[in-house]
Amino acid sequence: MRKVDAPRHDPIPIGEVSAPPFCKLPNPLILFAERTQRLRMLAQSSELAPYLLFLSRLTEAQYRIQDDLPLPAMPGKDAMARAREYRMPPLDRGRFTTDAAFDETLERLLWLAREFEMPPTAANALERVIAQDAGARQAMIDALLADSVPVEALAEHVFVAAALQVQFARLAARLDAKTLVPVGDGACPACGGPLVASTVVGWKGAHGSRFCACALCGTLWNYVRIKCTLCGSTNGIGYQEIEGGAGTVKAETCDECHRYVKILQQQKDAALEPLADDVASLGLDLLMRELGYRRGAFNPFLLGY
Ligand SMILES: [Zn+2]
Ligand SMILES: [Zn+2]
């Protein structure tokens, strides 16, 4: 019979209690399930409810299509070691090529999306994506991975962006967090993607630490507070929020680069979700535009702002 040791209750050394991990890799099922829940919750009291509900169906599809989905191809060990040596992200989105897993991901998403209720503009865009040839599809992938989506085709790109998120979250989930290194301000250490927002977490052992959230793969990486997440400046950092706001979603402004990225207080409200709350707080973007700051975050579901 195997002997099972009783659990030990060693005291945690004080110095280690608040040392946050450098990054937290996504769980691709939990990521999209929590995002769906949050979008639904936000829709209950938002002027943007129809759009938030449409997005909640899309994120639910991102969750549902993962059942038996083939695993995406990981880069080789040598390539990952080289990336680490040169401080490059191991899943470099700039070098992404589609594989069987991605094709299946996109197909499943497009067919599932056909089933749900959506505004006519989105439904028409969906049909255009389904009818597209491989070249046009590749052009959309390239535009999304370069954060340069043409304004006239925003609605089409939403579906391809959703497929890319699933693919990259599933790739990132299979990395070893301990091997990741910082790759520069404003860039995800797993895929090189831009951040969608940053969040001050309430996790045990990392309470009050700030993490940037990747818009593409969902990885969270640690970043000190009161420092511009885009240019790294610690001078001229300010915080703005909508009058009468709950204090849980603010814009962190930088007077060096004149940009802002939203910062969430998940330690005060654990339900906050970077991508969902970024969309739902569109009013803050409008205020920031009036104040003369440019949006520095990337959110494929909030393009055009
Ligand atoms: Zn990423
Ligand atoms: Zn800055």
Side-chain angles (χ1 to χ4, degrees):
M1 203 173 83
R2 217 152 56 88
K3 182 174 168 280
V4 179
D5 289 331
R8 291 166 54 188
H9 296 284
D10 293 339
I12 303 164
I14 281 164
E16 282 172 31
V17 173
S18 59
F22 167 55
C23 67
K24 188 176 173 209
L25 296 171
N27 174 318
L29 286 172
I30 294 174
L31 177 70
F32 298 113
E34 287 184 347
R35 194 168 283 169
T36 304
Q37 258 179 6
R38 181 60 177 166
L39 285 163
R40 283 186 196 142
M41 189 194 284
L42 288 165
Q44 288 171 11
S45 58
S46 170
E47 291 170 5
L48 301 169
Y51 186 57
L52 295 173
L53 288 173
F54 161 65
L55 287 184
S56 75
R57 288 178 202 115
L58 190 61
T59 55
E60 189 188 0
Q62 287 176 301
Y63 168 83
R64 278 174 55 194
I65 58 159
Q66 292 184 52
D67 212 13
D68 289 329
L69 191 61
L71 279 177
M74 290 293 282
K77 277 212 167 81
D78 289 352
M80 289 211 271
R82 252 194 327 275
R84 181 178 159 84
E85 192 183 333
Y86 292 104
R87 302 214 148 220
M88 299 283 287
L91 307 171
D92 194 348
R93 68 187 179 130
R95 308 171 83 162
F96 173 68
T97 48
T98 58
D99 59 7
F102 178 77
D103 293 341
E104 177 79 20
T105 302
L106 182 58
E107 285 309 308
R108 285 189 189 188
L109 258 182
L110 295 177
W111 288 103
L112 201 54
R114 262 192 164 167
E115 289 174 15
F116 52 73
E117 225 181 284
M118 61 176 101
T121 41
N124 293 338
L126 174 63
E127 291 310 314
R128 282 196 297 277
V129 180
I130 290 174
Q132 260 172 352
D133 63 19
R137 221 167 248 192
Q138 186 62 47
M140 292 212 292
I141 294 168
D142 295 344
L144 278 162
L145 294 178
D147 316 332
S148 63
V149 176
V151 185
E152 65 280 7
L154 298 178
E156 283 91 332
H157 283 76
V158 162
F159 300 101
V160 181
L164 284 169
Q165 285 177 338
V166 173
Q167 173 87 353
F168 274 88
R170 296 176 79 227
L171 285 165
R174 289 161 66 205
L175 292 171
D176 177 357
K178 292 192 289 296
T179 63
L180 295 182
V181 291
V183 296
D185 292 315
C188 169
C191 75
L195 73 162
V196 65
S198 77
T199 177
V200 179
V201 301
W203 308 338
K204 210 171 161 193
H207 193 92
S209 301
R210 188 254 286 264
F211 286 79
C212 295
C214 177
L216 181 59
C217 76
T219 292
L220 299 172
W221 69 97
N222 186 227
Y223 201 85
V224 294
R225 289 165 75 167
I226 322 176
K227 178 176 176 173
C228 176
T229 52
L230 300 164
C231 75
S233 172
T234 50
N235 293 320
I237 303 297
Y239 296 90
Q240 299 280 349
E241 99 174 291
I242 296 278
E243 225 181 281
T248 50
V249 181
K250 291 184 181 173
E252 186 176 63
T253 59
C254 172
D255 287 339
E256 283 294 321
C257 69
H258 303 285
R259 290 179 290 177
Y260 70 94
V261 175
K262 290 172 194 163
I263 178 165
L264 317 182
Q265 295 292 334
Q266 272 180 331
Q267 59 174 353
K268 291 186 189 158
D269 181 356
L272 292 161
E273 201 282 329
L275 186 140
D277 281 88
D278 181 40
V279 178
S281 57
L282 178 63
L284 186 53
D285 295 282
L286 303 179
L287 172 70
M288 298 318 293
R289 190 187 279 178
E290 275 172 30
L291 296 176
Y293 289 99
R294 278 188 301 126
R295 188 173 149 88
F298 181 79
N299 187 336
F301 302 145
L302 195 58
L303 293 170
Y305 289 95

